[in-house]
């Protein structure tokens, strides 16, 4: 059996042209790449989404035509869009956000995916947009074997391993279904950072502040 490695490329806005170039090169110049390399998804958000998390974004908010065009272009190549909605501080009032729901509706065709952290948002999206495939984010920082096994048993396509455990083969060897793991290979945080969770929460606060100020 041929072994394959699927890379998930970041960027639905600023990296979109570069990512589409890579898709074209894979199609026309496969000799430029190692054998078995595939693109698993384009992930991220359309700026600036309240549900986003992990990285702060304060770019130009995308218009409807652009969002529809990007989703259509990516999906036409057989590649999913994977919205990365990992804001850890969402509440029930945030769920009705018009912009985020519009983005969800545009890609609601049974092909696309979500990367989720908030239980509140996950419950809402599973009920309203059941056609999406759900993935569990590394932002949850699950470091206990039993807890991670329980997470893997939930209805997720993949569970992204806490990246501090990427090379901990003893830990990974105690997982019941390691084939459901994904690994994050381009983290910006130093190994074992004790402020990582607080960093995510601060980004979430900043994101909400920016969007609130745009309305004032």
């Amino acid at each position: 059996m041929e072994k394959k490695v699927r890379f998930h490329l970041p960027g639905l806005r600023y990296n979109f042209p570069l990512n589409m170039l890579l898709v074209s090169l894979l199609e026309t110049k496969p000799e430029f790449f190692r054998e078995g390399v595939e693109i698993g998804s384009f992930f991220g958000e359309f700026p600036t989404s309240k549900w986003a998390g992990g990285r702060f974004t304060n770019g130009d908010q995308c218009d409807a035509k652009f969002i529809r065009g990007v989703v259509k272009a990516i999906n036409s190549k057989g590649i999913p869009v994977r919205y990365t909605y990992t804001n850890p501080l969402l509440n029930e009032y945030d769920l009705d956000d018009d912009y985020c729901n519009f983005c969800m509706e545009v890609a609601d065709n049974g092909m696309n995916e979500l990367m989720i952290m908030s239980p509140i948002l996950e419950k809402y999206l599973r009920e309203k947009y059941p056609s999406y495939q759900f993935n569990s984010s590394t932002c949850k920082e699950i470091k206990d074997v039993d807890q991670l096994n329980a997470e893997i048993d939930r209805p997720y396509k993949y569970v992204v391993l806490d990246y501090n455990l990427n090379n901990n083969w003893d830990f990974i060897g105690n997982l019941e279904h390691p084939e459901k793991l994904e690994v994050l290979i381009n983290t910006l945080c130093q190994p074992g950072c004790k402020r990582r969770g607080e960093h995510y929460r601060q980004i979430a606060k900043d994101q909400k502040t920016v969007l609130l100020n745009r309305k004032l």
Side-chain angles (χ1 to χ4, degrees):
M1 179 185 298
E2 181 186 3
K3 293 184 178 181
K4 297 182 178 181
V5 178
R6 293 182 176 88
F7 288 92
H8 300 265
L9 305 183
L12 300 179
R13 170 63 177 95
Y14 303 108
N15 288 357
F16 172 67
L18 174 61
N19 289 344
M20 294 304 290
L21 173 62
L22 289 172
V23 172
S24 177
L25 287 175
L26 270 174
E27 293 175 341
T28 60
K29 299 290 184 180
E31 66 273 17
F32 287 4
F33 301 86
R34 292 181 181 272
E35 292 183 5
V37 169
E38 293 183 350
I39 297 175
S41 74
F42 291 171
F43 72 90
E45 53 121 13
F46 289 108
T48 300
S49 299
K50 182 184 290 187
W51 297 347
R55 297 288 181 266
F56 178 72
T57 60
N58 188 24
D60 55 321
Q61 195 163 48
C62 303
D63 63 24
K65 181 179 180 181
F66 180 83
I67 293 170
R68 291 192 180 101
V70 168
V71 172
K72 182 178 180 180
I74 295 171
N75 286 172
S76 71
K77 296 297 184 179
I79 299 171
V81 169
R82 181 188 279 186
Y83 288 133
T84 306
Y85 288 152
T86 54
N87 187 319
L89 299 181
L90 297 175
N91 57 52
E92 62 272 17
Y93 301 106
D94 297 319
L95 303 179
D96 293 331
D97 184 82
D98 291 336
Y99 183 67
C100 292
N101 277 282
F102 171 79
C103 293
M104 290 292 298
E105 290 163 5
V106 168
D108 190 13
N109 58 19
M111 185 176 181
N112 298 303
E113 303 181 10
L114 297 164
M115 184 66 69
I116 293 295
M117 181 178 181
S118 166
I120 296 173
L121 182 61
E122 180 177 344
K123 181 177 184 296
Y124 171 78
L125 294 178
R126 284 191 183 277
E127 292 174 353
K128 189 167 184 178
Y129 302 102
S131 77
Y132 281 81
Q133 292 188 323
F134 286 70
N135 301 277
S136 177
S137 173
T138 185
C139 298
K140 295 180 180 179
E141 299 185 88
I142 302 175
K143 296 182 176 69
D144 178 82
V145 169
D146 292 336
Q147 290 179 13
L148 190 54
N149 274 324
E151 188 79 356
I152 291 172
D153 284 339
R154 295 186 62 200
Y156 292 120
K157 181 180 179 182
Y158 293 111
V159 173
V160 186
L161 186 67
D162 184 307
Y163 47 71
N164 290 298
L165 301 171
N166 282 0
N167 298 313
N168 190 329
W169 304 113
D170 291 336
F171 182 93
I172 294 172
N174 286 315
L175 298 175
E176 296 171 1
H177 296 285
E179 71 278 4
K180 287 187 65 177
L181 290 181
E182 276 190 355
V183 293
L184 181 64
I185 60 175
N186 62 337
T187 174
L188 299 179
C189 297
Q190 66 181 20
C193 177
K194 296 180 180 180
R195 296 182 293 176
R196 181 180 165 204
E198 183 55 36
H199 185 193
Y200 290 143
R201 288 187 288 273
Q202 186 60 53
I203 288 171
K205 293 176 183 177
D206 293 343
Q207 195 80 352
K208 281 193 172 185
T209 300
V210 166
L211 292 173
L212 177 62
N213 287 337
R214 287 187 177 188
K215 294 180 179 180
L216 297 178

